[in-house]
């Protein structure tokens, strides 16, 4: 076995399989539109439906700048993702890119970050969905699930007892998403696309009604809380996770070299436009102070419509749209988590059982079931107060590493086919790293403590299991470490 230092620095060769490996490959059946809707589905809904109540009290009206800052960082990173995904279309996304470019040690840390990013995101979004589900029950039937079955028993960051037991709707949502993913990626993508169209229609409705109640006074003293712009951007940033989710589908896309860049950039444009419009409409209808109230904390956008129109009808429509919308966010985020774990398993860092693919559905069933159980436990027992910033940490680290990996591969593999190239190189990847690091420094100290502790656990697991079982430690031919056949090589 090579020395520990050599192991940490060794890079996975960029080679592609010459033959199919039955039981270890995902079916390629996703098109550009489905993939773009994956990105929109994993993104729009999370930030808009939940994060306003977290971010507006921190930055006030200048939260609009926070959204623009987060979008700028995500946009720069999206261009980097587009290039890497077009040249190395694999399921592991940031993890796989860093393994090829920066070495095993960095890949282990990045793998820990993206697993945290996706796993916590699924749980956080499911908890938020539960609030809108209860609001919909109240609007339609005049009753809600009891606190014992809809809220965790763990107090939020305010320390106040909740009187709850378990967030059952969040657990059920994750179970339903897992069942759909087990059926197949294509079926999941089709249902997701339908839900995305519905959610965009609902958010356009909210924007129109919100702006109809425009009050210029709500934007006075626009920069009074400007010191909170960076912190709010850190909280908001996790809602751009959908762009990374597009890259995790690399092995299941038809013509990935062209489809992935188009889908990432298209999703970014749609997502940013919707976020800014809804943020402006929300602030137009309600003052910044309102977003810090208990009323805004649960199903906030629905409450705004009810306050503006004086009737629960529009609030009911929005709550229904939110229930559908956030279902799609949970679905795609859970999908991303399973595909990253699939790639980590293929490299021998975790048990090979996580890369087993059902011959009937073409999906990693064991992988999906285990991930769903773990994130459902977190969603059922942990309040969302503790989850948002942890997702942002993982996302920001992932986005930074993608930019660094791109620059590294440009130098070490200049011959690599790149159907899409980042414009204004190297300015774009350098700016990506700078902006992401700025937002990272704005996260709360407790977030750093939690995330660094998690990464320490991941690295200890690598020392005990991954270092010995990594495929690079014992492969006998390049076919064993090769990425799946690229579509043009399969013809």
């Amino acid at each position: 076995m090579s020395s520990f230092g050599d192991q940490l620095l060794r890079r996975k060769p960029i080679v592609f399989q010459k033959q199919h490996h039955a039981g270890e490959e995902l079916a390629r059946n996703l098109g550009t539109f489905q993939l773009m809707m994956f990105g929109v589905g994993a993104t729009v809904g999370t930030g808009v439906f939940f994060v306003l109540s977290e971010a507006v009290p921190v930055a006030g009206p200048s939260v609009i700048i926070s959204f623009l800052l987060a979008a700028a960082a995500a946009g720069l990173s999206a261009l980097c993702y587009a290039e890497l995904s077009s040249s190395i279309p694999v399921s592991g996304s940031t993890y796989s890119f860093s393994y090829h470019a920066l070495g095993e040690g960095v890949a282990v840390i990045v793998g820990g970050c993206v697993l945290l990013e996706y796993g916590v995101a699924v749980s956080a979004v499911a908890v938020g969905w539960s609030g809108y589900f209860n609001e919909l029950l109240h609007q339609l039937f005049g009753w809600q699930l009891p606190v014992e079955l809809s809220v965790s028993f763990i107090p939020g960051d305010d320390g106040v007892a909740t009187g709850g037991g378990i967030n059952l709707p969040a657990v059920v949502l994750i179970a339903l998403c897992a069942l759909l993913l087990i059926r197949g990626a294509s079926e999941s993508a089709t249902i997701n696309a339908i839900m995305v169209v519905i959610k965009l229609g609902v958010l356009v409705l909210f924007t129109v009604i919100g702006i109809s109640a425009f009050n210029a006074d709500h934007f006075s003293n626009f920069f009074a809380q400007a010191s909170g712009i960076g912190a709010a951007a850190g909280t908001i940033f996790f809602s751009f996770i959908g762009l990374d989710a597009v890259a995790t589908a690399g092995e299941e896309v038809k013509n990935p070299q062209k489809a992935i860049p188009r889908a990432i950039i298209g999703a970014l444009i749609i997502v940013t436009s919707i976020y800014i419009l809804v943020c402006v409409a929300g602030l137009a209808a309600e003052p910044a102070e309102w977003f810090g109230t208990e009323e805004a904390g649960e199903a906030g956008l629905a409450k705004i419509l009810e306050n503006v129109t004086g009737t629960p009808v529009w609030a009911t429509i929005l709550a229904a749209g939110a229930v559908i919308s956030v279902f799609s966010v949970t679905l795609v985020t859970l999908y991303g988590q399973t595909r990253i774990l699939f790639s980590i398993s293929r490299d021998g860092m975790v048990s090979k059982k996580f890369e087993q693919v059902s011959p009937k559905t073409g999906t990693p069933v064991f992988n999906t079931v285990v991930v769903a159980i773990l994130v459902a436990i977190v969603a059922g027992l942990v309040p969302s107060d503790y989850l948002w910033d942890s997702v942002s940490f993982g996302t920001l680290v992932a986005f930074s590493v993608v930019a660094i990996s791109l620059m590294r591969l440009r130098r070490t593999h200049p011959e690599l086919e790149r159907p899409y190239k980042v414009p204004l190189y190297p300015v774009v990847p350098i700016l990506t790293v700078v902006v992401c690091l700025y937002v990272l420094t704005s996260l709360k100290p407790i977030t750093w403590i939690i995330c660094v502790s998690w990464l320490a656990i991941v690295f200890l697991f690598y020392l005990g299991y991954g270092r010995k079982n990594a495929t690079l430690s014992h492969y006998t031919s390049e076919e064993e470490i090769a990425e799946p056949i690229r579509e043009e090589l399969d013809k």
Side-chain angles (χ1 to χ4, degrees):
M1 180 179 287
S2 56
S3 70
F4 181 53
D6 290 339
Q7 281 187 301
L8 292 179
L9 294 175
R10 65 187 178 186
R11 290 175 288 151
K12 186 178 179 182
I14 302 177
V15 292
F16 293 91
Q17 295 171 358
K18 295 182 175 61
Q19 61 185 24
H20 286 289
H21 292 178
E24 299 177 6
E25 293 182 32
L26 302 166
R28 290 192 183 275
N29 48 25
L30 299 179
T32 301
F33 178 75
Q34 289 176 309
L35 195 59
M36 187 186 302
M37 291 302 99
F38 254 47
V40 178
T43 309
V44 172
T46 311
V48 172
F49 286 108
F50 308 138
V51 175
L52 284 181
S53 61
E54 299 283 337
V56 175
V58 175
S62 59
V63 73
I64 295 173
I65 307 298
S66 301
F67 270 100
L68 290 173
L69 178 62
L76 292 169
S77 182
L79 298 177
C80 299
Y81 269 108
E83 176 173 323
L84 290 177
S85 298
S86 70
S87 54
I88 313 174
V90 296
S91 283
S93 184
T94 313
Y95 159 78
S96 292
F97 301 150
S98 63
Y99 207 166
H100 287 301
L102 304 174
E104 189 165 293
V106 175
V108 168
I109 297 300
V110 171
C113 282
V114 292
L115 288 177
L116 174 72
E117 169 190 345
Y118 278 88
V120 177
V122 173
S123 301
V125 172
V127 172
W129 179 86
S130 177
Y132 275 96
F133 179 73
N134 248 347
E135 175 66 18
L136 181 62
L137 290 178
H138 175 70
Q139 297 287 355
L140 291 177
F141 307 111
W143 62 273
Q144 296 179 316
L145 291 172
V147 174
E148 292 81 4
L149 294 179
S150 58
V151 177
S152 166
F153 68 90
I154 299 175
D157 55 14
D158 57 6
V160 178
T162 65
I166 184 173
N167 196 323
L168 186 60
V171 174
V172 172
L173 171 65
I174 292 171
L176 291 174
C177 289
L179 290 174
L180 186 55
L181 288 176
I182 288 172
R183 285 289 303 274
S186 180
E187 292 84 349
S188 301
T190 300
I191 293 175
N192 172 71
I194 295 171
M195 290 189 286
V196 167
V197 172
I198 293 174
K199 88 163 80 175
L200 292 180
V202 169
L203 290 173
V204 169
L205 171 68
F206 172 84
T207 300
V208 172
I209 295 177
I211 291 180
S212 71
F214 188 90
N215 187 335
D217 292 340
H218 296 170
F219 296 91
S220 61
N221 299 318
F222 188 84
F223 291 104
Q225 295 174 255
S227 60
I229 289 176
T235 300
I236 291 166
F237 199 85
F238 92 95
S239 58
F240 285 92
I241 190 177
L243 302 177
D244 184 272
V246 173
T248 66
E251 290 181 34
E252 295 167 272
V253 181
K254 304 171 185 175
N255 193 10
Q257 287 72 35
K258 293 182 179 180
I260 296 178
R262 292 171 181 170
I264 289 175
I265 295 171
L268 173 69
I269 293 172
I270 294 173
V271 166
T272 302
S273 301
I274 289 293
Y275 277 9
I276 299 301
L277 286 173
V278 172
C279 181
V280 170
L283 286 168
E286 296 287 355
E289 296 77 16
W290 180 85
F291 289 89
T293 64
E294 184 178 347
E295 183 182 21
E298 183 173 331
L301 298 192
K303 295 294 185 183
I304 290 176
L305 288 190
E306 186 171 355
N307 294 342
V308 169
T309 63
T311 173
V313 174
W314 299 111
T316 302
I317 293 174
L318 188 130
V323 168
I324 295 172
S325 167
V326 182
F327 187 103
S328 73
V329 176
T330 311
L331 176 69
V332 180
T333 309
L334 184 63
Y335 167 89
Q337 170 82 318
T338 61
R339 271 41 180 186
I340 289 171
L341 191 57
F342 175 89
S343 289
I344 294 174
S345 172
R346 185 163 56 199
D347 291 331
M349 300 294 186
V350 296
S351 171
K352 288 289 186 178
K353 288 184 68 68
F354 288 98
E355 72 163 332
Q356 292 178 356
V357 175
S358 167
K360 182 178 180 180
T361 64
T363 60
V365 176
F366 175 82
N367 181 334
T368 304
V369 171
V370 171
V371 168
I373 291 173
L374 293 176
V375 297
I377 291 173
V378 175
L381 301 179
V382 181
S384 62
D385 299 358
Y386 302 107
L387 302 175
W388 301 123
D389 285 355
S390 296
V391 182
S392 290
F393 182 95
T395 307
L396 287 161
V397 171
F399 282 15
S400 300
V401 170
V402 162
I404 296 171
S405 297
L406 183 148
M407 291 187 284
R408 176 67 174 170
L409 286 174
R410 282 281 189 105
R411 177 171 296 185
T412 59
H413 291 76
E415 80 291 345
L416 189 64
E417 181 186 355
R418 294 174 170 87
Y420 174 86
K421 284 190 174 183
V422 166
L424 300 177
Y425 178 86
V427 175
V428 168
I430 290 174
L431 280 177
T432 300
V433 176
V434 170
V435 175
C436 288
L437 289 179
Y438 167 72
V439 180
L440 263 174
T441 59
S442 301
L443 296 177
K444 301 172 186 176
I446 185 62
T447 301
W448 277 87
I449 293 172
I450 292 172
C451 294
V452 171
S453 298
W454 161 252
L455 292 180
I457 294 172
V458 169
F459 196 74
L460 288 174
F461 179 83
Y462 166 73
L463 293 178
Y465 182 91
R467 182 187 177 195
K468 178 177 61 176
N469 293 283
T471 305
L472 288 186
S473 294
H474 52 72
Y475 75 97
T476 56
S477 71
E478 284 194 339
E479 190 71 11
E480 294 179 53
I481 58 170
E483 304 291 3
I485 296 174
R486 286 169 63 153
E487 189 175 35
E488 70 270 17
L489 300 179
D490 193 27
K491 294 179 180 177

